[in-house]
Protein backbone atom coordinates (compact mmCIF):
# COMPACT_ATOMS: atom_id res chain seq x y z
CA UNK A 1 0.00 0.00 0.00
CA UNK A 2 2.91 2.31 0.79
CA UNK A 3 4.24 1.94 -2.73
CA UNK A 4 0.88 2.62 -4.37
CA UNK A 5 0.50 5.83 -2.34
CA UNK A 6 4.03 6.83 -3.33
CA UNK A 7 3.27 5.93 -6.95
CA UNK A 8 0.24 8.23 -6.87
CA UNK A 9 2.63 11.08 -6.10
CA UNK A 10 1.99 11.52 -2.37
CA UNK A 11 5.01 11.38 -0.04
CA UNK A 12 4.43 8.66 2.54
CA UNK A 13 6.19 7.45 5.69
CA UNK A 14 5.79 3.86 6.85
CA UNK A 15 5.69 3.47 10.63
CA UNK A 16 6.14 -0.26 11.16
CA UNK A 17 7.49 -2.78 13.61
CA UNK A 18 9.27 -5.24 11.33
CA UNK A 19 11.58 -2.90 9.41
CA UNK A 20 13.18 -5.69 7.30
CA UNK A 21 9.76 -6.41 5.77
CA UNK A 22 9.22 -2.75 4.96
CA UNK A 23 12.66 -2.60 3.33
CA UNK A 24 11.98 -5.73 1.29
CA UNK A 25 8.60 -4.52 0.12
CA UNK A 26 10.07 -1.17 -0.87
CA UNK A 27 9.00 1.66 1.42
CA UNK A 28 11.23 4.72 1.02
CA UNK A 29 10.72 6.55 4.31
CA UNK A 30 10.54 4.24 7.33
CA UNK A 31 10.13 4.90 11.05
CA UNK A 32 10.60 1.81 13.27
CA UNK A 33 7.73 1.11 15.66
CA UNK A 34 7.59 -0.24 19.21
CA UNK A 35 6.01 -3.69 18.97
CA UNK A 36 3.64 -5.65 16.76
CA UNK A 37 0.49 -5.46 18.90
CA UNK A 38 1.13 -1.80 19.83
CA UNK A 39 3.30 -0.11 17.19
CA UNK A 40 2.78 3.43 18.48
CA UNK A 41 2.38 2.78 22.17
CA UNK A 42 3.55 0.77 25.11
CA UNK A 43 1.03 -0.49 27.65
CA UNK A 44 3.85 -1.10 30.14
CA UNK A 45 4.28 2.67 30.53
CA UNK A 46 2.05 5.24 32.18
CA UNK A 47 -0.44 7.05 29.95
CA UNK A 48 1.76 10.18 29.90
CA UNK A 49 4.95 8.31 29.08
CA UNK A 50 3.16 6.36 26.39
CA UNK A 51 1.87 9.50 24.74
CA UNK A 52 5.33 10.98 24.96
CA UNK A 53 6.72 8.07 22.95
CA UNK A 54 3.94 8.45 20.40
CA UNK A 55 4.75 12.16 20.06
CA UNK A 56 8.43 11.33 19.56
CA UNK A 57 7.67 8.76 16.87
CA UNK A 58 5.28 11.01 15.00
CA UNK A 59 7.70 13.92 15.23
CA UNK A 60 10.19 11.60 13.56
CA UNK A 61 7.55 10.71 10.95
CA UNK A 62 7.00 14.40 10.17
CA UNK A 63 10.75 14.88 9.95
CA UNK A 64 10.93 11.95 7.51
CA UNK A 65 8.23 13.51 5.35
CA UNK A 66 10.14 16.81 5.36
CA UNK A 67 13.45 15.18 4.39
CA UNK A 68 14.52 14.65 0.77
CA UNK A 69 15.57 11.05 0.21
CA UNK A 70 16.94 9.35 -2.88
CA UNK A 71 16.93 5.83 -1.49
CA UNK A 72 15.23 3.77 1.21
CA UNK A 73 15.91 5.52 4.53
CA UNK A 74 15.18 4.44 8.09
CA UNK A 75 14.53 7.36 10.45
CA UNK A 76 15.37 6.04 13.90
CA UNK A 77 13.96 7.65 16.99
CA UNK A 78 15.72 6.98 20.26
CA UNK A 79 14.27 4.12 22.28
CA UNK A 80 15.04 3.38 25.89
CA UNK B 1 23.22 -46.52 8.36
CA UNK B 2 22.09 -44.50 11.35
CA UNK B 3 19.34 -41.94 10.94
CA UNK B 4 20.19 -38.32 10.23
CA UNK B 5 19.56 -36.10 13.25
CA UNK B 6 17.08 -33.33 12.50
CA UNK B 7 16.20 -30.24 14.55
CA UNK B 8 12.87 -28.61 13.69
CA UNK B 9 12.06 -24.91 14.23
CA UNK B 10 8.36 -23.97 14.70
CA UNK B 11 6.32 -21.14 16.21
CA UNK B 12 4.04 -21.06 19.24
CA UNK B 13 0.97 -21.75 17.13
CA UNK B 14 2.19 -24.97 15.56
CA UNK B 15 3.55 -26.07 18.95
CA UNK B 16 -0.02 -25.83 20.23
CA UNK B 17 1.01 -23.33 22.90
CA UNK B 18 -1.38 -20.63 21.76
CA UNK B 19 -2.29 -18.04 19.15
CA UNK B 20 -1.57 -14.35 19.14
CA UNK B 21 -1.88 -14.05 22.91
CA UNK B 22 1.20 -16.29 23.13
CA UNK B 23 3.14 -14.71 20.26
CA UNK B 24 5.63 -13.29 22.78
CA UNK B 25 6.63 -16.84 23.82
CA UNK B 26 10.38 -17.08 24.40
CA UNK B 27 12.54 -19.74 22.74
CA UNK B 28 12.19 -23.24 24.13
CA UNK B 29 14.02 -26.46 23.28
CA UNK B 30 12.10 -29.73 23.49
CA UNK B 31 13.29 -33.25 22.81
CA UNK B 32 11.65 -35.10 19.96
CA UNK B 33 9.07 -33.84 17.49
CA UNK B 34 6.23 -31.42 18.18
CA UNK B 35 3.15 -30.72 16.01
CA UNK B 36 3.97 -30.86 12.29
CA UNK B 37 7.21 -32.69 13.12
CA UNK B 38 5.25 -35.92 13.22
CA UNK B 39 4.40 -35.70 9.52
CA UNK B 40 8.07 -35.04 8.71
CA UNK B 41 9.19 -38.03 10.76
CA UNK B 42 6.75 -40.25 8.88
CA UNK B 43 7.96 -38.90 5.55
CA UNK B 44 11.63 -39.36 6.52
CA UNK B 45 11.04 -43.05 7.30
CA UNK B 46 14.31 -44.78 8.16
CA UNK B 47 16.47 -42.01 6.77
CA UNK B 48 16.12 -39.26 9.36
CA UNK B 49 14.43 -38.37 12.62
CA UNK B 50 13.57 -35.16 14.44
CA UNK B 51 15.58 -35.31 17.67
CA UNK B 52 14.55 -31.92 18.99
CA UNK B 53 12.21 -29.02 18.32
CA UNK B 54 12.91 -25.35 18.95
CA UNK B 55 9.79 -23.27 19.56
CA UNK B 56 9.61 -19.48 19.55
CA UNK B 57 6.74 -16.98 19.49
CA UNK B 58 6.53 -14.99 16.25
CA UNK B 59 6.26 -11.58 17.86
CA UNK B 60 9.06 -12.37 20.30
CA UNK B 61 11.34 -13.40 17.45
CA UNK B 62 10.65 -10.37 15.27
CA UNK B 63 10.77 -7.82 18.06
CA UNK B 64 14.03 -9.23 19.48
CA UNK B 65 15.63 -10.31 16.23
CA UNK B 66 19.25 -10.43 17.38
CA UNK B 67 18.83 -12.03 20.79
CA UNK B 68 16.14 -14.45 19.61
CA UNK B 69 18.28 -15.53 16.67
CA UNK B 70 21.24 -16.17 18.94
CA UNK B 71 19.25 -18.13 21.52
CA UNK B 72 17.53 -20.25 18.87
CA UNK B 73 20.84 -20.88 17.13
CA UNK B 74 22.52 -21.97 20.39
CA UNK B 75 19.66 -24.36 21.07
CA UNK B 76 19.93 -25.88 17.60
CA UNK B 77 23.71 -26.13 17.91
CA UNK B 78 23.46 -27.95 21.25
CA UNK B 79 21.86 -30.90 19.45
CA UNK B 80 24.54 -31.06 16.72
CA UNK B 81 22.03 -31.83 13.98
CA UNK B 82 22.78 -33.15 10.48
CA UNK B 83 19.82 -31.22 9.12
CA UNK B 84 17.53 -28.38 10.21
CA UNK B 85 13.97 -27.75 9.04
CA UNK B 86 12.18 -24.46 9.70
CA UNK B 87 8.41 -24.23 9.44
CA UNK B 88 6.74 -24.37 6.97
CA UNK B 89 5.37 -20.87 7.59
CA UNK B 90 2.77 -20.72 4.76
CA UNK B 91 1.59 -17.09 4.51
CA UNK B 92 2.29 -16.06 8.12
CA UNK B 93 4.56 -13.03 7.69
CA UNK B 94 6.36 -12.93 11.02
CA UNK B 95 6.73 -16.72 11.05
CA UNK B 96 8.18 -16.57 7.53
CA UNK B 97 10.72 -13.94 8.54
CA UNK B 98 11.63 -16.01 11.61
CA UNK B 99 12.02 -19.22 9.56
CA UNK B 100 14.12 -17.44 6.95
CA UNK B 101 16.31 -15.75 9.56
CA UNK B 102 16.90 -19.00 11.46
CA UNK B 103 17.53 -20.97 8.27
CA UNK B 104 20.01 -18.44 6.88
CA UNK B 105 21.86 -18.31 10.22
CA UNK B 106 21.99 -22.12 10.48
CA UNK B 107 23.51 -22.28 7.02
CA UNK B 108 25.94 -19.39 7.40
CA UNK B 109 26.95 -19.63 11.05
CA UNK B 110 26.62 -23.33 11.82
CA UNK B 111 27.28 -24.66 8.32
CA UNK B 112 24.50 -27.20 8.74
CA UNK B 113 22.20 -28.17 5.84
CA UNK B 114 18.82 -26.47 6.20
CA UNK B 115 15.59 -25.82 4.35
CA UNK B 116 12.39 -23.96 5.11
CA UNK B 117 9.03 -23.60 3.39
CA UNK B 118 6.51 -20.82 2.83
CA UNK B 119 4.00 -19.26 0.44
CA UNK B 120 5.54 -17.23 -2.35
CA UNK B 121 3.96 -13.96 -1.14
CA UNK B 122 5.26 -14.37 2.41
CA UNK B 123 7.66 -11.43 2.96
CA UNK B 124 10.19 -13.95 4.27
CA UNK B 125 10.31 -15.55 0.82
CA UNK B 126 11.70 -12.48 -0.93
CA UNK B 127 14.07 -11.81 1.93
CA UNK B 128 15.66 -15.26 2.05
CA UNK B 129 15.05 -17.09 -1.22
CA UNK B 130 18.56 -16.39 -2.45
CA UNK B 131 20.13 -17.61 0.80
CA UNK B 132 18.39 -20.91 1.56
CA UNK B 133 16.11 -23.39 -0.19
CA UNK B 134 12.51 -22.35 0.50
CA UNK B 135 9.95 -24.94 -0.52
CA UNK B 136 6.99 -23.29 -2.21
CA UNK B 137 3.86 -24.04 -0.13
CA UNK B 138 0.21 -23.07 -0.19
CA UNK B 139 -0.91 -20.00 1.73
CA UNK B 140 -2.45 -21.78 4.71
CA UNK B 141 -1.78 -24.69 7.02
CA UNK B 142 -4.33 -26.69 5.03
CA UNK B 143 -1.40 -27.20 2.65
CA UNK B 144 0.70 -29.03 5.29
CA UNK B 145 0.49 -32.45 3.62
CA UNK B 146 1.62 -31.10 0.26
CA UNK B 147 4.34 -29.05 1.94
CA UNK B 148 5.78 -32.08 3.72
CA UNK B 149 5.72 -34.03 0.45
CA UNK B 150 7.99 -31.41 -1.13
CA UNK B 151 10.06 -30.52 1.92
CA UNK B 152 11.00 -33.96 3.27
CA UNK B 153 12.68 -35.27 0.08
CA UNK B 154 14.27 -31.88 -0.64
CA UNK B 155 15.63 -31.73 2.91
CA UNK B 156 17.15 -35.21 2.64
CA UNK B 157 18.82 -34.32 -0.65
CA UNK B 158 20.25 -31.14 0.84
CA UNK B 159 21.43 -33.01 3.94
CA UNK B 160 23.18 -35.68 1.90
CA UNK B 161 24.75 -33.11 -0.38
CA UNK B 162 23.03 -34.57 -3.44
CA UNK B 163 22.58 -32.54 -6.59
CA UNK B 164 19.54 -30.28 -6.34
CA UNK B 165 17.57 -29.92 -9.56
CA UNK B 166 15.81 -26.84 -10.92
CA UNK B 167 13.24 -25.05 -8.77
CA UNK B 168 10.39 -26.27 -10.97
CA UNK B 169 11.44 -29.91 -10.48
CA UNK B 170 12.20 -29.80 -6.75
CA UNK B 171 9.42 -27.44 -5.72
CA UNK B 172 11.43 -24.63 -4.14
CA UNK B 173 11.00 -20.92 -4.76
CA UNK B 174 13.36 -19.82 -7.57
CA UNK B 175 16.56 -18.55 -5.97
CA UNK B 176 17.94 -16.73 -8.99
CA UNK B 177 20.64 -19.31 -9.76
CA UNK B 178 20.82 -20.34 -13.41
CA UNK B 179 22.26 -23.64 -14.53
CA UNK B 180 23.09 -24.58 -18.14
CA UNK B 181 21.42 -27.67 -19.49
CA UNK B 182 20.44 -29.22 -22.81
CA UNK B 183 16.79 -29.03 -23.82
CA UNK B 184 15.32 -31.96 -25.69
CA UNK B 185 14.02 -29.74 -28.46
CA UNK B 186 15.82 -26.93 -30.20
CA UNK B 187 14.94 -23.31 -29.52
CA UNK B 188 13.16 -22.55 -32.79
CA UNK B 189 10.77 -25.44 -32.27
CA UNK B 190 10.08 -24.47 -28.65
CA UNK B 191 9.41 -20.87 -29.67
CA UNK B 192 6.96 -21.90 -32.41
CA UNK B 193 5.19 -24.27 -29.99
CA UNK B 194 4.88 -21.46 -27.47
CA UNK B 195 3.51 -19.11 -30.11
CA UNK B 196 0.98 -21.71 -31.29
CA UNK B 197 -0.16 -22.27 -27.71
CA UNK B 198 -0.51 -18.53 -27.19
CA UNK B 199 -2.51 -18.07 -30.40
CA UNK B 200 -4.79 -20.94 -29.41
CA UNK B 201 -5.31 -19.35 -25.99
CA UNK B 202 -3.66 -22.35 -24.29
CA UNK B 203 -1.29 -22.24 -21.35
CA UNK B 204 2.41 -21.95 -22.01
CA UNK B 205 5.46 -21.28 -19.87
CA UNK B 206 7.83 -18.55 -20.90
CA UNK B 207 11.53 -19.34 -20.78
CA UNK B 208 12.39 -15.76 -20.02
CA UNK B 209 10.17 -14.24 -17.34
CA UNK B 210 10.58 -10.51 -17.01
CA UNK B 211 12.32 -9.53 -13.78
CA UNK B 212 10.10 -7.97 -11.16
CA UNK B 213 11.80 -4.75 -10.09
CA UNK B 214 9.02 -3.10 -8.24
CA UNK B 215 10.58 -0.05 -6.73
CA UNK B 216 8.99 3.37 -6.58
CA UNK B 217 11.11 6.51 -6.59
CA UNK B 218 10.62 8.54 -3.42
CA UNK B 219 8.52 11.66 -3.86
CA UNK B 220 10.03 15.03 -2.99
CA UNK B 221 9.78 15.98 0.67
CA UNK B 222 6.95 18.12 1.97
CA UNK B 223 8.23 21.71 1.84
CA UNK B 224 6.37 23.06 4.84
CA UNK B 225 4.91 20.36 7.05
CA UNK B 226 3.21 22.96 9.25
CA UNK B 227 0.91 23.76 6.33
CA UNK B 228 0.45 20.20 5.08
CA UNK B 229 -2.74 18.18 5.11
CA UNK B 230 -1.79 14.75 6.40
CA UNK B 231 -3.81 11.54 6.19
CA UNK B 232 -3.55 8.44 8.36
CA UNK B 233 -3.69 4.99 6.77
CA UNK B 234 -3.18 1.65 8.50
CA UNK B 235 -2.84 -2.05 7.78
CA UNK B 236 -3.48 -2.64 11.48
CA UNK B 237 -7.22 -3.06 11.03
CA UNK B 238 -8.46 -0.17 13.21
CA UNK B 239 -12.22 0.26 12.64
CA UNK B 240 -15.15 1.90 14.42
CA UNK B 241 -16.43 -0.36 17.19
CA UNK B 242 -18.46 -3.22 15.75
CA UNK B 243 -16.54 -3.26 12.44
CA UNK B 244 -19.50 -1.89 10.43
CA UNK B 245 -18.10 -2.88 7.03
CA UNK B 246 -17.06 -6.35 8.17
CA UNK B 247 -13.43 -6.08 7.18
CA UNK B 248 -12.08 -9.61 7.40
CA UNK B 249 -9.65 -10.52 10.19
CA UNK B 250 -7.33 -11.97 7.55
CA UNK B 251 -7.07 -12.02 3.74
CA UNK B 252 -9.07 -8.80 3.55
CA UNK B 253 -11.20 -8.37 0.44
CA UNK B 254 -11.80 -4.66 1.02
CA UNK B 255 -10.76 -1.60 3.00
CA UNK B 256 -12.66 0.94 5.08
CA UNK B 257 -12.80 4.73 4.92
CA UNK B 258 -13.95 6.43 8.10
CA UNK B 259 -14.76 10.01 9.04
CA UNK B 260 -12.84 11.27 12.07
CA UNK B 261 -14.01 14.87 11.98
CA UNK B 262 -14.16 16.10 15.56
CA UNK B 263 -12.56 12.91 16.91
CA UNK B 264 -9.63 13.76 19.16
CA UNK B 265 -9.01 10.42 20.81
CA UNK B 266 -9.76 6.79 19.92
CA UNK B 267 -11.16 4.99 22.94
CA UNK B 268 -12.07 1.42 23.83
CA UNK B 269 -15.72 2.41 23.54
CA UNK B 270 -15.49 3.79 20.01
CA UNK B 271 -12.77 1.94 18.07
CA UNK B 272 -11.25 -1.52 17.89
CA UNK B 273 -9.13 -3.66 15.59
CA UNK B 274 -10.45 -6.18 13.10
CA UNK B 275 -6.96 -7.61 12.56
CA UNK B 276 -6.62 -11.32 13.34
CA UNK B 277 -2.86 -11.47 13.05
CA UNK B 278 -1.79 -9.98 16.35
CA UNK B 279 -2.99 -9.94 19.96
CA UNK B 280 -5.81 -7.33 19.81
CA UNK B 281 -5.88 -6.52 23.55
CA UNK B 282 -3.70 -3.40 23.36
CA UNK B 283 -5.29 -1.98 20.21
CA UNK B 284 -8.82 -2.59 21.50
CA UNK B 285 -7.91 -0.90 24.75
CA UNK B 286 -6.54 2.19 22.98
CA UNK B 287 -6.58 2.24 19.17
CA UNK B 288 -4.30 5.32 19.16
CA UNK B 289 -1.52 2.78 19.72
CA UNK B 290 -2.03 1.74 16.08
CA UNK B 291 -3.75 4.75 14.50
CA UNK B 292 -2.40 7.78 16.37
CA UNK B 293 -5.33 10.20 16.03
CA UNK B 294 -4.79 11.67 19.51
CA UNK B 295 -1.27 12.96 18.89
CA UNK B 296 -2.05 14.06 15.32
CA UNK B 297 -4.87 16.22 16.72
CA UNK B 298 -2.42 17.73 19.22
CA UNK B 299 0.02 18.44 16.41
CA UNK B 300 -2.82 20.05 14.45
CA UNK B 301 -3.71 22.26 17.40
CA UNK B 302 -0.08 23.19 18.01
CA UNK B 303 0.35 24.16 14.37
CA UNK B 304 2.99 21.50 13.74
CA UNK B 305 0.92 20.20 10.84
CA UNK B 306 -1.59 22.06 8.69
CA UNK B 307 -4.44 19.64 9.28
CA UNK B 308 -5.34 16.00 9.78
CA UNK B 309 -7.32 14.69 6.81
CA UNK B 310 -10.98 14.11 7.59
CA UNK B 311 -10.91 10.40 6.66
CA UNK B 312 -8.63 7.55 7.53
CA UNK B 313 -8.25 4.41 5.44
CA UNK B 314 -7.82 0.99 6.98
CA UNK B 315 -7.57 -2.69 6.20
CA UNK B 316 -6.07 -5.78 7.78
CA UNK B 317 -2.66 -6.64 6.41
CA UNK B 318 -2.93 -10.19 7.74
CA UNK B 319 -2.44 -12.68 4.91
CA UNK B 320 -3.94 -10.17 2.49
CA UNK B 321 -2.81 -10.83 -1.06
CA UNK B 322 -0.30 -8.37 -2.46
CA UNK B 323 -2.58 -7.86 -5.45
CA UNK B 324 -5.51 -6.87 -3.17
CA UNK B 325 -3.42 -4.45 -1.11
CA UNK B 326 -2.13 -2.89 -4.33
CA UNK B 327 -5.63 -2.47 -5.68
CA UNK B 328 -6.98 -0.95 -2.43
CA UNK B 329 -4.19 1.58 -2.19
CA UNK B 330 -4.22 2.51 -5.89
CA UNK B 331 -7.90 3.34 -5.43
CA UNK B 332 -7.76 5.36 -2.22
CA UNK B 333 -4.49 7.08 -3.15
CA UNK B 334 -6.40 8.76 -6.01
CA UNK B 335 -9.06 9.88 -3.53
CA UNK B 336 -6.38 11.24 -1.21
CA UNK B 337 -4.86 13.11 -4.12
CA UNK B 338 -8.21 14.53 -5.20
CA UNK B 339 -8.83 15.61 -1.61
CA UNK B 340 -5.58 17.58 -1.63
CA UNK B 341 -3.70 15.42 0.88
CA UNK B 342 0.00 16.40 0.95
CA UNK B 343 1.44 13.43 2.82
CA UNK B 344 0.48 10.10 4.38
CA UNK B 345 1.52 8.35 7.58
CA UNK B 346 0.90 4.63 7.14
CA UNK B 347 1.14 2.46 10.24
CA UNK B 348 1.67 -1.30 10.27
CA UNK B 349 1.68 -3.77 13.11
Amino acid sequence: MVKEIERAGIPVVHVCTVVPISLTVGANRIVPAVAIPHPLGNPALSAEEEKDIRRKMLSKALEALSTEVTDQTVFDWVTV
Amino acid sequence: MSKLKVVHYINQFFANIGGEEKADYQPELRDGFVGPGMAFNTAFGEEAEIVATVICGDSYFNENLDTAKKTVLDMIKSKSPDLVICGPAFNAGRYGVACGTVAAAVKEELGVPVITGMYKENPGADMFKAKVYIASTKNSAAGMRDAVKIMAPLALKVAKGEKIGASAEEGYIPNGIRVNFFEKERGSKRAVNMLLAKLAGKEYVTEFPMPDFDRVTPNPAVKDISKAKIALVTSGGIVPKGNPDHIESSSASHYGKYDIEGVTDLTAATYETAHGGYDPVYANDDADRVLPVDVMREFEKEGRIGSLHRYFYTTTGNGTAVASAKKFAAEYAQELKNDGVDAVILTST
Side-chain angles (χ1 to χ4, degrees):
Chain A
M1 297 205 293
V2 175
K3 273 190 299 195
E4 290 311 308
I5 295 169
E6 191 95 76
R7 216 188 301 272
I10 308 173
V12 52
V13 56
H14 192 202
V15 181
C16 69
T17 310
V18 190
V19 173
I21 294 185
S22 184
L23 286 167
T24 304
V25 174
N28 290 318
R29 294 175 170 92
I30 302 168
V31 172
V34 177
I36 290 157
H38 44 84
L40 290 105
N42 188 348
L45 303 175
S46 71
E48 293 76 42
E49 289 171 320
E50 190 175 8
K51 202 163 205 187
D52 189 52
I53 281 200
R54 187 141 68 235
R55 286 183 68 94
K56 270 195 196 133
M57 295 178 70
L58 288 167
S59 300
K60 197 42 102 172
L62 296 185
E63 185 191 317
L65 289 170
S66 311
T67 307
E68 300 292 351
V69 300
T70 52
D71 209 347
Q72 293 188 294
T73 311
V74 178
F75 294 82
D76 230 325
W77 53 285
V78 185
T79 44
V80 195
Chain B
M1 197 187 85
S2 64
K3 287 182 177 180
L4 294 170
K5 281 195 291 178
V6 184
V7 173
H8 191 198
Y9 175 84
I10 58 175
N11 70 358
Q12 85 287 351
F13 178 76
F14 283 98
N16 225 349
I17 289 168
E20 287 304 328
E21 78 287 357
K22 295 284 182 194
D24 58 352
Y25 195 80
Q26 297 200 12
E28 184 201 338
L29 178 66
R30 282 196 209 165
D31 281 332
F33 69 83
V34 178
M38 190 157 116
F40 279 106
N41 265 355
T42 309
F44 288 147
E46 288 306 304
E47 298 208 59
E49 185 177 17
I50 294 174
V51 294
T53 305
V54 177
I55 302 153
C56 182
D58 288 334
S59 287
Y60 181 83
F61 193 95
N62 280 275
E63 289 169 7
N64 306 279
L65 214 51
D66 292 336
T67 46
K69 183 172 105 177
K70 191 176 176 309
T71 312
V72 167
L73 215 54
D74 287 345
M75 287 174 170
I76 292 174
K77 197 176 168 188
S78 73
K79 293 289 174 184
S80 1
D82 305 305
L83 167 68
V84 175
I85 288 189
C86 303
F90 304 103
N91 199 21
R94 286 163 300 157
Y95 191 21
V97 174
C99 284
T101 307
V102 171
V106 164
K107 186 178 172 190
E108 285 159 19
E109 295 174 36
L110 305 184
V112 172
V114 59
I115 71 157
T116 179
M118 58 190 84
Y119 181 58
K120 62 181 190 301
E121 282 193 7
N122 191 314
D126 248 1
M127 290 164 75
F128 295 100
K129 67 186 179 190
K131 293 187 174 156
V132 291
Y133 286 115
I134 303 178
S136 180
T137 72
K138 296 203 172 118
N139 62 0
S140 84
M144 185 63 87
R145 276 174 58 127
D146 293 335
V148 172
K149 253 186 244 163
I150 301 170
M151 288 176 73
L154 178 62
L156 289 176
K157 274 191 174 178
V158 171
K160 293 186 217 157
E162 287 174 13
K163 191 171 174 290
I164 307 295
S167 55
E169 299 161 17
E170 306 277 1
Y172 59 87
I173 295 174
N175 54 3
I177 295 173
R178 293 182 190 181
V179 180
N180 289 329
F181 68 102
F182 284 102
E183 273 284 7
K184 290 179 200 80
E185 290 175 334
R186 65 179 189 272
S188 52
K189 191 165 181 209
R190 300 203 306 275
V192 170
N193 284 343
M194 232 186 280
L195 182 61
L196 288 174
K198 186 174 181 175
L199 289 173
K202 288 188 197 143
E203 260 188 51
Y204 65 97
V205 181
T206 176
E207 292 180 16
F208 191 70
M210 296 310 284
D212 185 12
F213 291 126
D214 191 24
R215 283 289 180 261
V216 183
T217 317
N219 285 307
V222 178
K223 291 280 171 292
D224 184 357
I225 202 86
S226 71
K227 299 224 164 43
K229 187 200 263 192
I230 295 177
L232 287 176
V233 176
T234 188
S235 65
I238 301 303
V239 290
K241 190 94 180 167
N243 191 9
D245 297 314
H246 309 290
I247 294 175
E248 296 90 339
S249 60
S250 77
S251 305
S253 66
H254 58 295
Y255 60 92
K257 172 189 183 182
Y258 299 107
D259 191 343
I260 42 168
E261 187 163 72
V263 177
T264 54
D265 189 19
L266 308 184
T267 67
T270 51
Y271 290 86
E272 64 182 3
T273 181
H275 201 293
Y278 64 89
D279 185 351
V281 172
Y282 312 105
N284 286 343
D285 187 37
D286 179 3
D288 291 301
R289 286 169 174 152
V290 178
L291 191 82
V293 171
D294 59 347
V295 169
M296 291 306 285
R297 285 290 182 219
E298 290 181 9
F299 282 179
E300 188 177 41
K301 218 165 162 186
E302 294 159 13
R304 294 191 53 188
I305 61 170
S307 63
L308 178 61
H309 184 47
R310 180 171 171 170
Y311 302 96
F312 75 88
Y313 292 83
T314 178
T315 191
T316 54
N318 179 24
T320 298
V322 174
S324 307
K326 205 174 146 109
K327 192 185 100 204
F328 301 163
E331 211 170 284
Y332 65 68
Q334 278 315 313
E335 282 188 24
L336 290 169
K337 224 174 147 58
N338 295 342
D339 286 342
V341 167
D342 299 300
V344 168
I345 296 177
L346 195 154
T347 63
S348 292
T349 49

